[in-house]
Each structure stands twice: as C-alpha cells, then as structure tokens.
Amino acid sequence: MVDETDQPDLEDDRDDDAYELDEDAVDRIIEAVEAGNQTRLQEELEPLHAADIADLLEQISRSERRDLILLYDRDFDGEILSELDDSLREEVIGILHPEVLADAVRELETDDVVDLVEDLEDEQQEAILGALEDSDRVAVESSLTYPEYSAGRLMQREVVMAPEHWNVGEAIDYLRDQDDLPEQFYHITLVDVRMRPVGDVTLGKLMASRREILLTTIVEDSFHVIPVNQDEEDVAYAFNQYHLISAPVVDEDERLVGVITIDDAMAVLDEEHEEDIMRLAGVGENSLSDKVIETAKGRFPWLAVNLVTAILASMVISMFDQEIAQLVALAVLMPIVASMGGNAGTQSLTVAVRAIATKDLTGRNVWRVIRREVLVGLINGVIFAIVMGLVGIFWFGGPELGYVIGAAMVINLVVAGLAGTVIPVLLERVGVDPALASGAFVTTVTDIVGFFAFLGLAAVVLL
Amino acid sequence: MVDETDQPDLEDDRDDDAYELDEDAVDRIIEAVEAGNQTRLQEELEPLHAADIADLLEQISRSERRDLILLYDRDFDGEILSELDDSLREEVIGILHPEVLADAVRELETDDVVDLVEDLEDEQQEAILGALEDSDRVAVESSLTYPEYSAGRLMQREVVMAPEHWNVGEAIDYLRDQDDLPEQFYHITLVDVRMRPVGDVTLGKLMASRREILLTTIVEDSFHVIPVNQDEEDVAYAFNQYHLISAPVVDEDERLVGVITIDDAMAVLDEEHEEDIMRLAGVGENSLSDKVIETAKGRFPWLAVNLVTAILASMVISMFDQEIAQLVALAVLMPIVASMGGNAGTQSLTVAVRAIATKDLTGRNVWRVIRREVLVGLINGVIFAIVMGLVGIFWFGGPELGYVIGAAMVINLVVAGLAGTVIPVLLERVGVDPALASGAFVTTVTDIVGFFAFLGLAAVVLL
C-alpha cells in the first residue's frame, strides 16, 4: 500500500543529497546481479520507484545493465521504460525478452506508450504496438498522427465531461455510476451541445457545493483551451503562466478531443529547459548515457562552427602582423580584450534568449532593452578600462598601452551588449532558435571587434 | 464565467507568438492611459489574466507603468502583484494607494502573500501584513519562520485530511458537510492517530469507489512525504521525478503541517532552471526589468573574475614573447587553440552541471563520465588537429606549424573534457553551486593549457 522507503529520511532535511540514490543500496543491487541472485535483486528493487530504477540503469555500466535486466526478468515494469532516458530505450528494449516487453507495455497508459514509441525505430515500434490490446493500439496510432511535440501527442484521450446545463447533484450521481473513470482526473469539463468545452469544474468544488447548484456557476476562473496542434512548448508555457492544473484539448472545429494535465506539462517544461541549456552551450541533444562516438558527433558541429569563427578572428590578427612583430606586448594583451567581450556578450545573449523564451522580450520593449545592454556595456567597459589602464602602467611601464587597451575594452563591451541582444532577437524573427545559434554569432562579433579595435588603435596610436 | 479572450486563436496553432501579448491591445491600453480614460483602460484590462497584466507592466516604460497603475486604481488586483517580477514589486507597491494595496492583498491566499512579502523591505512588509485580517497575518508570519526557499514557505496550511480507518462513504459525507474547504485540493490525506500522514486518496478515486471501500485500499502508489525544512529545489525534483500532484508536508515529529501542490512545484522548477541558466552565463540574479545600474552591478563580478583569468592567460603568453617576436604566426594562431578548448570545456561542464542538478551524475558513474569526456575530447581533437594541420599548410606554406597547432589542439580538447567534468564535480563536493563557478575555472584551465601547449610546443619544435 504505502511505500515505506518513500518515507523521507528526516536527518537529511537540507542535505543536497536528498533523493540521490543510496550508494549502499546500489552496491547491494550490483552484488545481487553479479551473484545471479534473482530473489535478492527483486527484494532490493521492490521498494524503489520506477523512476529511480530507471536512474539506476542509467548510472551503471552497459554490461551490468544487461545482466540486471535479464535477471530481473518478468518483474521488469513498463513504467521503468517510460522513465528511461531516450538514449537507452532502444538498448533496453533490445535486451528484454519479447514476452516481458509485451507485459511491460500492456501495463502503461496510452499516452505513456505514445511517448515511448515515438522515437523508436520501426521494428521496435511494431513490436510494442503489436503487444497492445486492439483498442489501445488504435488509440496510440491515432495519437501518432498528430505532429511531433504537439498537444495531440501529449494529451490523454479519456476525458470526464458533463453537459453545461447539469447541476452538482447530476454530476455527482453520474460520476458515482461510472465504471471506467480514468486513473487520474481532477476536473469535469463542461461541454455545449456541439461538444465544445466551456468550463472546468474541480472535483473539490463539486464536493463542496450543494446538489442544486448549477455547474456553470462554479467553473474555474482560469480556463484555457489548448488547440490540438499547438506546440508542446507553448502548452507548458500556458500551464506555467496561468497556473492551470488540467486543460481541455480541442480540434480544428473546437470540439473536445482530450485533456492535458499539469504533470505532463511540467515534464515538457523540464525538457524544454534542458534543451535551452544544452543548446546555449552548443551541446545539442545529449545525455549522460550517450556513447563516446554519439557524444563526439553531437559536440562536433558547434566546435566546427567555432573553428571557422576563430579562424576569421585570426585573419583579423594577421592583418596586424607587422605591428605585433614591432611590439609583442600587443600579442600578450589582445586575448584579454576578446575574452572580456566574449563574456559580456554571453551575459547579454543569455538574458535575451531567456527573455524571448518567456515571452518577456517583445517588439514593445526591445529598444529599451538594447539601450540598457549598451549602457551596461559602457559602464562596465569604462570601469575595466580604468583597471586595465593601471595594469598596463605597472606591467608595461607606461600609460599608452593602457589607454589603447582601455579604449578597446569600452568599444568591445558596448558592442557585446548590442550584439548580445540584437542577434538573438533577429534570429528569432527569422525563425531560428536563438538558443541554438546566438553564441556562435555573438562571440564571432566580439572576437573580431576586440582584436580589430585593440590592434587597430595600437597601430594608430603607438606605432 | 468563461473568459472569452482565453479562447485560443486556432489560426495561430503552431505559431511561436502564441500567448505573446497582442501588440494592438497593448497599444490601445497605452492610448487609454495617455488619454486618462479610466473606463477604456478597465475595459481593455478586464479580459486579461493577472499574469498577462503583470507581463504588460514589465514591458512598458517606468512612467507608463506609473500612469497605468494610478488610473487603474481600485481595479488593481492582488494577483497582479503576485505575478509581478520581484524587481518591480517594490516600485509598484510604492505607487499603489494604501487602501488599494490593502484591498489587493486581502484577496490573496496566504501562501501567495508569503511569496509576496518575503523579499520586501521591512516598511512595505509591515504595510502588507497590517492590511491582512488577524488570522491570515498569523498564518503568514508563522510561514515566514521557516527558512527561505524551504518547503515550509511553499506549502499551504489548509489540508483536507481523514483518519486512516475511514471508508469512502464516511469521507464523502464529511466533505459534503464541510463549509470551508480550500479553493483548490485534489487529494484527501489519510493520517494516523498521531497525525502522521500515511497515504493520499485522489478525489477521482473517491468518486469512482463504492461507499463501503476502505480508504487505505485506494491510496495512490506514488506517495511522498516532504519534510518542512527541505529545500524547495529538492521539493521540485521530487514532484518531477515521482509525478506527484500534491504531497503532505511534515514537521520534525513527522506530523502533518501542510500540503504542497504541483503548480507551486512547477513554479519552483521554472525558477531553478532560470537560476541555472543565468549562473552558467555569469549573470547572477537578473531580470529584464532591472535598471541599468543594477544590471551593470550584477554582471560585474563575473567579468572581474574573467579579467583576472584573462590576465593569467596573458602571463603565460608573455613567457613566450621572444618566440612570438621571431614568428608572428604564433600570435595569429594561438587564439584558435584557446577558443576551441574553451568551447569544448563549456560543452563538458554544461552536461556535467545539468547531470548534477538532475542527480544523474554520482560517485558511481563519475569515472565512466570522465573517461567518456576525455575520449570525446581526444576524438574531436584529432579531427580538428588534421583540419588545422591542412589549414596551416595552405595558410603558412609549411606543415610544421600545422603539426604544432594540431598537437596543441588535441591536448587542449582532452584537458577540456577532463576539466569540464572534474571541476563541477569537485565544486559540488565542497558545497559550491557548480553552475555558478565552473565556467571561470574551466576556461582558465583551457586558456592557460591552450596557450602553453601551443607556444611551448612551437618553441621546442619550430625555433
């Protein structure tokens, strides 16, 4: 009934390791696997949540994973597959005996099956669809007709609804009579005669209201209808922005076709954030379970782009090779200007990318934000110019080099603020994800401007 | 009842601008404010959700904001304050007439008031607490006794509970009899005689079950108890990991003291992600509504750290000033090696920081991950070494410079993979947020190693 191991360890209260897998337990599990002791393995895994077992599988080695799955055998739960990282699913499905896989999949809700099969190769997809009961398979296949990453893929098809003219008593009697209510539901959706959703009533309100009260008088203030083709990123945004718990999904004719609940929206929000962080760092799709070759492939494109931009910056430097030969201190100091510009540009672009994602940076305030970023670059540029001027005096014995590096610093930090805001905004306008591409453009600009400003000023002023 | 403007525009389906504020509407609102037309302003704002009005206030200028708030006057809703960015709350509270503020605050749930007042200065905090009814003020003050960012600050104190021995009929009759059920609740929490929570029953299950069924037989599988002092970041993790909808909060004696619902956990997850992204970019606490001086201050520390590390790298370069004077091509090419290392290091560290946050990188797999990152650095290093070797031949007419830059590239990309993983792991072990500090350390390492390897090898091989 109640899972004893889920009781929190109160000693651990503010410990960062809360919810981390217990190392001793993992050791015991691996020992059981190595000893081929199925009973002990089952005992150790029994109290764990499927999500934790999936995490465990992600953390152990490939051969341990294989042995564990084969030994665990029929106890392998469909939910573990659901919780598993995409990169490991094909491997694990390949290890499972066909009957175990079939049993595991049959336990899942249809929306979890959709999530499971959508990224699999045809052969594995067919194996799983074939294992389902007919009605479930039809439901899954019909969900797969909606675009990837759309509300249609995310929704559950079982909706608890009531005609808009009912009162509380009628709704309660109806619910009490139903045999096949969904496992999880929190609202009753009111629909008009054309099956268009007009409001949600929470079960709590239903419980708290007298039988003769009309349902339409106790609907939620925050009612939001999601179009079935809407991008799941926007769905997650709507849940977060309007504090929705569940929302009806409608087709092109505004008829109710499903419902999305907040736990699915939260999972999407988490994935979207992960994607943003990874894209900002130029990592692409990546997980800790990826193999070496896949990881190297995933990292390659961004490094290749960076190589091109670094060569462009080097070409700027080579324009000044005579000046550098005359005054080697220029070569020593030039990376400082470029590096400061790169960092300031990354700061501005991260703020801009995030603000675009949260829909806070719009046509209305874009000029105000650009002005602010430029002013911030100017202020910090002047401060660091003074610092570097002083460093120049002490390091190279004279103020002239300090003036030059200071002036170049101011120019580059102003440009960084400008480029760091304008570039993501422009990329978004032309339909490119600013998280993915802004970094390369912005650091190219700050490298080139940094080297050119410093070396060019030096050429004019010093030589 | 049902908000007409909340109906989605189906034309917009897969449009990125879904949920962005309608520019025309914003124009009309600003016109109404400029014309001092209170009725038109109220008409325009009436259909908007409080979260959207808050977004609007964040996007317009300071003077427009002031005029709008004063004209909107008594219609100003407490929820708008709740939804507003922290950086604007003090400004807006300062503009509101004291009576308007008092009315606005009295409409809010106590957990929203806690969220509102916890970051305010004493004077404004007292103004708001003073406006509350006595019972609400006591509840808010008692929440404020829990540590910041703890479960205690996040929870609602109104919990719907039932003794564990009840059956479905008793629970339903009890709920139907209650006069003051909370606005939003989805579970009944079962408690033992010592008020310790033992399980959750969803209202849906309650509705679907026969009256004589014991509540203990229909509790949720996924039941999780949150200690009142647990960090809110861990609370959000638990909701996401175990797909919780709500969870009871317990004190040191394991007695039920409140409940946290998934919508609050989702908001925390969103904030934590924002913090991670901003910290990785060295931006610190930042919002689009911050003023220039605050923003410049927030950006300054990371730039200062970067200046120090850039100077360290420059010192490495200055060790080779004679070699550079002999062969200026070294100065032209050296930033390429450092830049590639910096990017590869950022890739590795972002993956590591994210994996630490999701508790996927642990003592068990850290060596496997380090080995993988080093191998990835080696593979990509070799590929880019070959590319740069060829570039060297064509650009500088001979293979030797190509060999040197290639070898330096391999070394720096291997070091980048190593440092990018080891540094965040070590920082986490000593209790420093790896998102905050890893970047500075990793790029220092890749800059220094990059310059040293390239210039050092060149000194030995070429000169």
Side-chain angles (χ1 to χ4, degrees):
Chain A
M1 255 174 10
V2 177
D3 213 328
E4 282 185 20
T5 56
D6 278 353
Q7 301 294 338
D9 180 352
L10 284 167
E11 310 277 300
D12 257 17
D13 274 11
R14 313 253 318 160
D15 188 338
D16 272 351
D17 294 342
Y19 302 118
E20 210 170 83
L21 286 177
D22 174 6
E23 292 232 15
D24 293 340
V26 176
D27 286 340
R28 288 197 303 273
I29 290 165
I30 297 300
E31 274 170 36
V33 170
E34 281 166 1
N37 188 334
Q38 192 171 37
T39 321
R40 265 210 27 229
L41 178 66
Q42 286 163 350
E43 279 169 16
E44 289 289 346
L45 292 183
E46 201 274 320
L48 294 184
H49 189 283
D52 289 330
I53 299 180
D55 281 351
L56 169 70
L57 289 173
E58 288 161 17
Q59 285 172 27
I60 60 183
S61 74
R62 200 178 164 87
S63 63
E64 288 169 337
R65 192 154 55 225
R66 187 184 172 79
D67 293 345
L68 189 156
I69 291 166
L70 291 175
L71 190 65
Y72 199 36
D73 200 35
R74 302 213 151 263
D75 282 19
F76 194 95
D77 195 321
E79 252 190 272
I80 303 174
L81 273 184
S82 273
E83 301 285 350
L84 210 57
D85 198 278
D86 289 354
S87 64
L88 281 184
R89 274 189 193 157
E90 296 199 4
E91 179 194 323
V92 170
I93 291 174
I95 297 170
L96 290 170
H97 286 299
E99 320 89 75
V100 176
L101 177 63
D103 280 354
V105 168
R106 256 179 248 131
E107 291 162 14
L108 292 173
E109 306 267 314
T110 58
D111 56 331
D112 291 329
V113 179
V114 172
D115 184 46
L116 186 62
V117 300
E118 60 186 356
D119 295 320
L120 292 179
E121 281 168 30
D122 286 353
E123 201 183 323
Q124 290 193 331
Q125 199 175 82
E126 275 164 33
I128 287 179
L129 290 177
L132 294 175
E133 285 163 35
D134 284 351
S135 64
D136 285 351
R137 197 185 57 244
V138 172
V140 171
E141 283 171 343
S142 133
S143 280
L144 289 174
T145 60
Y146 293 109
E148 254 196 302
Y149 310 116
S150 69
R153 293 270 182 117
L154 211 56
M155 70 186 183
Q156 295 158 23
R157 297 168 151 268
E158 303 100 354
V159 188
V160 181
M161 54 182 127
E164 56 181 333
H165 58 77
W166 275 11
N167 65 25
V168 169
E170 287 170 297
I172 290 181
D173 294 343
Y174 166 79
L175 291 178
R176 302 287 298 149
D177 276 351
Q178 286 301 99
D179 284 335
D180 55 348
L181 290 172
E183 275 285 293
Q184 301 273 354
F185 74 104
Y186 311 98
H187 292 102
I188 299 182
T189 302
L190 305 190
V191 290
D192 67 13
V193 285
R194 292 176 50 202
M195 278 288 283
R196 290 181 305 200
V198 295
D200 272 339
V201 174
T202 67
L203 294 184
K205 273 271 183 55
L206 200 65
M207 283 288 195
S209 303
R210 292 192 316 279
R211 288 185 62 91
E212 66 275 17
I213 300 243
L214 279 176
L215 294 180
T216 44
T217 60
I218 54 169
V219 293
E220 292 295 283
D221 289 337
S222 222
F223 175 63
H224 228 88
V225 178
I226 309 268
V228 72
N229 284 327
Q230 188 168 70
D231 201 275
E232 60 174 21
E233 185 176 356
D234 287 325
V235 174
Y237 178 85
F239 271 82
N240 199 26
Q241 174 86 346
Y242 304 119
H243 310 289
L244 308 175
I245 299 296
S246 78
V249 180
V250 296
D251 65 12
E252 279 78 7
D253 301 322
E254 295 182 43
R255 278 185 315 230
L256 186 65
V257 290
V259 63
I260 295 177
T261 48
I262 184 175
D263 50 331
D264 297 315
M266 188 175 182
V268 171
L269 189 77
D270 194 46
E271 284 164 23
E272 293 291 333
H273 278 293
E274 168 124 8
E275 195 180 275
D276 274 354
I277 288 184
M278 293 301 170
R279 285 184 169 182
L280 278 169
V283 184
E285 300 266 311
N286 193 282
S287 102
L288 219 56
S289 319
D290 282 345
K291 287 173 224 87
V292 172
I293 296 294
E294 284 160 13
T295 310
K297 260 196 211 161
R299 308 268 176 95
F300 186 86
W302 175 255
L303 290 174
V305 170
N306 183 61
L307 183 64
V308 173
T309 71
I311 289 177
L312 284 178
S314 288
M315 287 176 172
V316 173
I317 300 172
S318 73
M319 291 163 56
F320 298 94
D321 52 359
Q322 289 175 1
E323 286 78 3
I324 291 172
Q326 274 180 270
L327 187 60
V328 176
L330 297 182
V332 173
L333 292 175
M334 66 183 186
I336 297 177
V337 180
S339 161
M340 291 296 281
N343 271 275
T346 303
Q347 291 179 333
S348 297
L349 91 84
T350 303
V351 171
V353 165
R354 175 74 189 155
I356 290 170
T358 57
K359 300 178 203 293
D360 289 332
L361 182 57
T362 64
R364 175 152 301 270
N365 59 353
V366 66
W367 289 108
R368 201 161 339 108
V369 172
I370 289 173
R371 201 192 54 157
R372 187 191 68 166
E373 293 295 320
V374 168
L375 283 174
V376 167
L378 189 65
I379 292 170
N380 280 334
V382 168
I383 295 172
F384 287 112
I386 294 168
V387 173
M388 275 316 294
L390 296 174
V391 170
I393 292 174
F394 287 104
W395 197 354
F396 295 95
E400 292 82 6
L401 206 53
Y403 297 155
V404 169
I405 195 169
M409 195 89 91
V410 173
I411 292 170
N412 209 18
L413 261 63
V414 168
V415 169
L418 188 66
T421 311
V422 171
I423 288 174
V425 169
L426 288 181
L427 286 172
E428 208 258 338
R429 292 268 162 95
V430 299
V432 175
D433 181 353
L436 189 62
S438 297
F441 286 106
V442 171
T443 51
T444 305
V445 170
T446 54
D447 274 359
I448 288 176
V449 170
F451 290 131
F452 192 84
F454 177 59
L455 296 173
L457 280 173
V460 174
V461 175
L462 297 180
L463 302 169
Chain B
M1 252 174 9
V2 177
D3 212 329
E4 282 186 20
T5 55
D6 278 353
Q7 300 294 339
D9 180 352
L10 284 165
E11 311 277 303
D12 257 17
D13 275 9
R14 313 250 322 156
D15 188 338
D16 272 351
D17 294 342
Y19 302 119
E20 211 171 82
L21 286 177
D22 174 5
E23 292 232 15
D24 293 340
V26 176
D27 286 340
R28 287 196 304 273
I29 289 165
I30 297 300
E31 274 170 38
V33 170
E34 282 167 0
N37 188 335
Q38 192 172 38
T39 322
R40 264 210 27 229
L41 178 66
Q42 287 164 349
E43 278 168 15
E44 290 289 344
L45 292 183
E46 201 274 320
L48 294 185
H49 189 283
D52 289 330
I53 297 179
D55 281 352
L56 168 70
L57 288 173
E58 288 161 17
Q59 284 172 27
I60 62 183
S61 75
R62 202 179 163 86
S63 63
E64 287 168 336
R65 195 154 52 226
R66 188 184 171 80
D67 293 344
L68 189 156
I69 291 166
L70 290 176
L71 190 64
Y72 199 35
D73 199 34
R74 303 214 150 259
D75 281 19
F76 194 95
D77 195 321
E79 253 191 90
I80 302 173
L81 274 184
S82 273
E83 301 285 351
L84 210 57
D85 199 277
D86 289 354
S87 64
L88 281 185
R89 274 189 194 157
E90 295 199 6
E91 178 193 323
V92 171
I93 290 174
I95 297 170
L96 290 171
H97 285 300
E99 322 88 74
V100 177
L101 177 63
D103 280 354
V105 169
R106 254 179 249 132
E107 292 163 13
L108 291 174
E109 306 268 314
T110 58
D111 57 332
D112 291 329
V113 178
V114 171
D115 184 46
L116 185 63
V117 299
E118 60 186 355
D119 295 321
L120 292 179
E121 281 168 32
D122 286 351
E123 200 182 324
Q124 291 194 331
Q125 202 175 78
E126 275 163 34
I128 287 179
L129 290 178
L132 294 175
E133 286 163 35
D134 284 353
S135 63
D136 285 351
R137 196 183 58 244
V138 171
V140 170
E141 282 170 342
S142 135
S143 280
L144 289 173
T145 61
Y146 292 109
E148 252 196 304
Y149 309 117
S150 70
R153 293 269 181 117
L154 212 56
M155 70 186 185
Q156 296 158 21
R157 298 168 152 268
E158 303 101 352
V159 188
V160 180
M161 55 183 128
E164 56 182 333
H165 57 77
W166 275 11
N167 64 26
V168 168
E170 287 170 298
I172 289 181
D173 294 343
Y174 165 77
L175 291 178
R176 302 287 298 148
D177 276 351
Q178 287 301 98
D179 284 335
D180 55 348
L181 290 173
E183 274 287 293
Q184 300 272 353
F185 73 106
Y186 309 99
H187 292 101
I188 299 182
T189 303
L190 304 191
V191 290
D192 67 13
V193 286
R194 291 176 51 201
M195 277 289 283
R196 291 180 306 202
V198 295
D200 272 338
V201 174
T202 67
L203 295 184
K205 273 269 184 58
L206 200 66
M207 283 290 194
S209 304
R210 291 193 317 278
R211 287 185 63 92
E212 65 275 16
I213 301 245
L214 280 175
L215 293 180
T216 45
T217 61
I218 54 169
V219 294
E220 291 296 282
D221 289 338
S222 226
F223 175 63
H224 230 90
V225 177
I226 309 269
V228 73
N229 284 326
Q230 187 167 72
D231 200 276
E232 61 174 21
E233 185 174 358
D234 287 326
V235 174
Y237 179 84
F239 271 82
N240 199 25
Q241 174 84 346
Y242 303 119
H243 308 291
L244 307 175
I245 299 296
S246 78
V249 180
V250 295
D251 65 12
E252 279 78 7
D253 301 322
E254 295 183 41
R255 277 187 314 231
L256 186 64
V257 290
V259 64
I260 295 177
T261 48
I262 184 173
D263 49 330
D264 297 315
M266 188 174 182
V268 171
L269 190 78
D270 194 48
E271 283 163 24
E272 293 291 331
H273 277 293
E274 169 124 5
E275 195 180 274
D276 275 354
I277 288 185
M278 293 302 172
R279 286 183 169 184
L280 277 169
V283 185
E285 300 267 311
N286 192 282
S287 103
L288 219 56
S289 320
D290 281 346
K291 286 173 223 87
V292 172
I293 296 294
E294 285 161 11
T295 309
K297 260 196 210 163
R299 309 269 175 93
F300 186 85
W302 176 256
L303 290 175
V305 169
N306 183 62
L307 183 64
V308 173
T309 72
I311 289 176
L312 284 179
S314 288
M315 287 175 171
V316 173
I317 299 172
S318 72
M319 291 162 56
F320 298 93
D321 52 0
Q322 290 174 1
E323 286 79 1
I324 292 173
Q326 273 181 271
L327 188 61
V328 176
L330 297 182
V332 172
L333 291 175
M334 66 184 188
I336 298 177
V337 181
S339 159
M340 291 296 280
N343 270 276
T346 303
Q347 292 179 331
S348 296
L349 91 84
T350 303
V351 171
V353 165
R354 174 74 188 156
I356 290 170
T358 57
K359 302 179 202 292
D360 289 332
L361 182 57
T362 64
R364 176 151 299 270
N365 59 354
V366 66
W367 289 108
R368 203 163 336 110
V369 172
I370 289 172
R371 202 192 55 157
R372 186 192 68 166
E373 293 295 320
V374 168
L375 284 174
V376 167
L378 189 63
I379 293 171
N380 281 335
V382 168
I383 295 172
F384 286 112
I386 295 169
V387 174
M388 275 315 294
L390 296 173
V391 170
I393 292 175
F394 287 105
W395 196 355
F396 295 97
E400 293 83 5
L401 205 54
Y403 297 155
V404 168
I405 196 170
M409 194 89 90
V410 173
I411 292 169
N412 208 18
L413 261 63
V414 168
V415 168
L418 189 66
T421 312
V422 170
I423 288 173
V425 169
L426 288 181
L427 286 172
E428 208 258 336
R429 292 267 162 95
V430 299
V432 176
D433 181 352
L436 189 62
S438 296
F441 286 104
V442 172
T443 51
T444 306
V445 169
T446 54
D447 274 359
I448 288 176
V449 170
F451 290 132
F452 192 82
F454 177 61
L455 296 173
L457 280 173
V460 173
V461 175
L462 298 179
L463 300 171

